[in-house]
Amino acid sequence: MDPSDSDANRSVSLKAAMTTMPLNPNTYLARLPSDHCLGSAVHGGLLVSVVLDAVRQHFSTTLESHNQPDTFALHLVFLRPAVAGKAILEIKGTKPGASTSTTHVSLSQNGKDCVVGYAVNMNLQVAKGLSYPTHYILKPPPPPANIAKLANNTDPNWVSSTYPYHPDSFIKASTHLRFVVPTEGPPHPSISDLWLTPIHAEDAFTNEMLGSVIDYWPRMVENYRSGSPYSVSGLAARGLCTLQGSPLEDISRQIPQYAYPTISMSLDVKKLLPPEGVKWLFMRAQAKEIKNGRMDAEITVLDEAFELVALSHQVSFIVNFAEKPVLRPRQKDGKL
């Protein structure tokens, strides 16, 4: 890990942050760290990974006899923000089956549900059935990439960028990953293309971490806003300044003009990642409509071989912070 990324206040890796602990056969405990927050709210992607980890544990213990370890479909609704501190997850078997099982999941704090939804599990390693090649490709195609050159930031088509960490930063959750974006910016403002890799040495992307991955992309609204440091072009500009040794604007304590609270999301897992995880994933996020304070996003996740790993659909509000001060960082993190 680069020495500049080794701040002790950012020591909670994604792997550690998403890990849950069983309290009884149907209840799990999560400890949500403050350095995975956006403002005062825990990053929604981390909450999805926490849910996936609890479901994984549930099917390896309480429902082990079903031999359905893999969550391949997930739908969640976000009812209220979660804050740093303890969270309780409850899992109820709704429809157990011979090939697939559906469970109801809730994540709550202080007795109030923050996230609710359903997970569908099966054994993807032994799955069989009718298959046809669709020859799916991204249109327009992203620039070609060489993983070795991405790793040392020498690929001419892509440039690496990170968000600076500060204990009072609004975007602390985004400081745990390295974002590699097209040098020339997005092909259209409605599209955000990027490669992701973890900053923490112990982190590697597993299927449970896909919950976080699908929520780490520059919001397309920012691509329409000229000069936004949170856009694909803004990230590219910061990355190029770093390469050229030019001074960077300190945005560590800036509060963005807009937030994008997720209302609902679905995850469709197409491929099992190795148990030890992978270091690189590609993602395209694309909006079909941005209107009246709402935005949809279709997320496509591919691996290094450009094979399909997962799909996601998300619905978000677009919130101006002047109208939602509750989302601003607090003086102290909420403790439950």
Side-chain angles (χ1 to χ4, degrees):
M1 184 170 62
D2 190 290
S4 63
D5 297 320
S6 60
D7 194 303
N9 290 312
R10 192 172 37 176
S11 61
V12 182
S13 66
L14 180 56
K15 179 180 179 181
M18 60 174 270
T19 300
T20 58
M21 180 177 68
L23 298 178
N24 62 50
N26 298 297
T27 308
Y28 301 83
L29 171 68
R31 299 185 184 276
L32 307 174
S34 62
D35 60 336
H36 284 265
C37 286
L38 294 174
S40 61
V42 175
H43 183 236
L46 176 63
L47 298 181
V48 180
S49 284
V50 165
V51 167
L52 287 169
D53 187 71
V55 173
R56 176 192 62 79
Q57 291 208 57
H58 195 65
F59 275 87
S60 64
T61 54
T62 304
L63 298 181
E64 182 181 13
S65 62
H66 286 66
N67 190 26
Q68 297 165 347
D70 309 311
T71 301
F72 73 95
L74 179 72
H75 181 77
L76 298 176
V77 176
F78 296 79
L79 303 179
R80 54 178 54 86
V83 297
K86 296 179 182 179
I88 299 297
L89 294 100
E90 292 189 87
I91 300 179
K92 299 176 181 178
T94 304
K95 185 184 178 296
S99 58
T100 67
S101 292
T102 302
T103 53
H104 178 272
V105 188
S106 64
L107 183 152
S108 63
Q109 290 184 317
N110 293 330
K112 296 182 178 180
D113 286 338
C114 300
V115 183
V116 296
Y118 292 91
V120 188
N121 274 51
M122 66 183 302
N123 191 328
L124 291 176
Q125 290 186 326
V126 300
K128 295 180 180 179
L130 184 65
S131 302
Y132 287 112
T134 62
H135 304 294
Y136 171 76
I137 59 172
L138 295 175
K139 295 181 180 180
N146 180 296
I147 296 299
K149 291 183 178 180
L150 294 184
N152 59 26
N153 204 16
T154 58
D155 192 315
N157 297 313
W158 299 83
V159 63
S160 174
S161 186
T162 58
Y163 287 113
Y165 179 85
H166 188 280
D168 296 326
S169 172
F170 177 89
I171 55 172
K172 284 185 286 186
S174 298
T175 65
H176 298 273
L177 295 173
R178 185 149 63 96
F179 301 83
V180 185
V181 296
T183 307
E184 300 297 326
H188 187 272
S190 65
I191 295 174
S192 288
D193 285 341
L194 68 159
W195 287 90
L196 285 175
T197 190
I199 283 178
H200 293 276
E202 67 181 88
D203 276 343
F205 297 133
T206 61
N207 277 72
E208 288 72 38
M209 285 190 187
L210 287 174
S212 288
V213 168
I214 59 173
D215 205 26
Y216 274 118
W217 38 273
R219 269 39 185 180
M220 280 69 79
V221 169
E222 302 295 333
N223 291 341
Y224 285 91
R225 300 180 64 237
S226 177
S228 169
Y230 309 106
S231 66
V232 172
S233 294
L235 278 167
R238 292 182 62 83
L240 290 171
C241 281
T242 300
L243 277 178
Q244 296 161 3
S246 303
L248 288 175
E249 178 188 6
D250 182 7
I251 63 171
S252 63
R253 282 173 282 181
Q254 286 186 10
I255 297 178
Q257 183 173 351
Y258 294 101
Y260 307 94
T262 304
I263 305 307
S264 66
M265 63 76 60
S266 62
L267 174 65
D268 176 6
V269 176
K270 299 295 189 182
K271 179 180 181 179
L272 282 177
L273 296 172
E276 67 276 13
V278 298
K279 287 293 187 180
W280 290 91
L281 287 173
F282 172 87
M283 180 163 51
R284 167 169 287 183
Q286 185 166 11
K288 291 183 172 62
E289 184 173 75
I290 303 171
K291 187 175 182 180
N292 294 331
R294 289 188 295 126
M295 177 177 67
D296 62 83
E298 297 286 346
I299 316 298
T300 304
V301 182
L302 307 174
D303 63 11
E304 293 182 24
F306 243 52
E307 293 183 358
L308 189 60
V309 173
L311 301 172
S312 176
H313 178 80
Q314 301 178 24
V315 178
S316 303
F317 282 136
I318 305 167
V319 178
N320 191 311
F321 274 110
E323 303 166 2
K324 279 284 186 179
V326 69
L327 293 176
R328 290 176 178 267
R330 299 172 178 173
Q331 292 296 318
K332 294 183 179 179
D333 294 306
K335 299 298 181 183
L336 303 178

